[in-house]
Amino acid sequence: MLYIVPSPIGNLQDITLRALEVLKKVDLVLAEDTRNSARLLNHYQIIKPLSPYHQHNEHKILHHLADQLLQGKKMALITDAGTPGVSDPAFLLVRECIRIGVGVECLPGATAFVPALVNSGLPMHRFVFEGFLPPKKGRQTVLRQLAVEERTMVFYESPLRLVRTMTEMMVHFGEDRNCCVSRELTKVFEENRRGSLKAVCEHFREQGVKGEMVLVVEGAPGRRRVDEESVDV
């Protein structure tokens, strides 16, 4: 059995009782960074062998892990923060387990984009998760396509690229498009900066950017859904 186990995105208390139970019973914990995961396990006094599983080695060790799972081993896959598979490795191993008939169980739990979306104040009945934009090739093409996206858009971004990304969005989306940048979610210095793309971008250009970021951007104006604009006569 392979268990997909979400880990806290900041506050170590944001882990479920079920996740702790699973981590205690598996034979092996696959971790994006074993040093970070060791701190989590040590905090909860869980002693389990850790093995690295990340984007640089997942292809190489995929079949070895699959063989171990077929032999009856129970494994938990965790990442540095959040739910594995959401802008983090997991897909290849999950797909291989399904192909060879190994059970896969994904636990519900922490992920950064959900609290960022909910506290943004932007419509959340329909949204699209874009994760990280391409750093170079295809970046402008994606932004042009998203300029007409009417659903609320959610992005992950690094501190080094946030101002650049928002500047490019102003070119394609317009300066007045509403947005929210959620920084250091669940941590001591959590910040949610709301406003137009121009205003929020200027704030971070002047103040500097630190920490993990989620950028939520209002969708393009368009014809409202029929159920939102209909009036009983």
Side-chain angles (χ1 to χ4, degrees), residues 56-229:
H56 302 297
N57 76 344
E58 58 180 339
H59 287 87
K60 295 177 183 177
I61 65 173
L62 179 64
H63 296 298
H64 173 66
L65 294 176
D67 288 341
Q68 289 185 300
L69 286 162
L70 282 172
Q71 291 169 19
K73 276 200 172 183
K74 293 183 177 129
M75 298 183 190
L77 173 61
I78 61 177
T79 58
D80 290 347
T83 300
V86 181
S87 291
D88 277 315
F91 165 67
L92 288 178
L93 186 55
V94 170
R95 182 179 65 179
E96 182 65 11
C97 286
I98 293 170
R99 188 186 72 82
I100 63 178
V102 169
V104 178
E105 193 170 320
C106 183
L107 280 60
T111 188
F113 81 82
V114 173
L117 172 64
V118 173
N119 73 31
S120 70
L122 297 172
M124 63 189 81
H125 58 280
R126 296 176 70 234
F127 67 91
V128 56
F129 175 71
E130 288 292 322
F132 289 96
L133 288 168
K136 294 180 181 178
K137 186 177 180 181
R139 184 180 177 88
Q140 300 306 315
T141 299
V142 171
L143 287 169
R144 282 194 297 271
Q145 293 171 343
L146 292 175
V148 295
E149 173 59 66
E150 295 183 12
R151 295 169 292 183
T152 299
M153 296 170 283
V154 184
F155 304 87
Y156 286 163
E157 194 49 278
S158 75
L160 296 176
R161 287 198 300 262
L162 179 68
V163 170
R164 171 196 168 192
T165 294
M166 297 187 75
T167 301
E168 291 173 336
M169 285 181 173
M170 282 190 278
V171 173
H172 294 282
F173 302 170
E175 296 180 347
D176 296 331
R177 190 79 71 89
N178 289 318
C179 71
C180 176
V181 172
S182 292
R183 184 179 72 85
E184 295 290 81
L185 284 166
T186 79
K187 299 177 184 177
V188 174
F189 298 106
E190 177 176 332
E191 176 186 13
N192 296 285
R193 179 65 56 170
R194 305 174 183 89
S196 67
L197 279 170
K198 181 179 180 181
V200 176
C201 183
E202 287 179 352
H203 167 79
F204 284 107
R205 183 180 284 116
E206 294 172 0
Q207 301 297 320
V209 189
K210 293 181 180 179
E212 299 296 325
M213 303 282 170
V214 183
L215 170 60
V216 183
V217 182
E218 180 183 27
R223 186 176 64 84
R224 292 187 303 172
R225 293 169 54 192
V226 173
D227 61 345
E228 293 176 333
E229 63 183 4

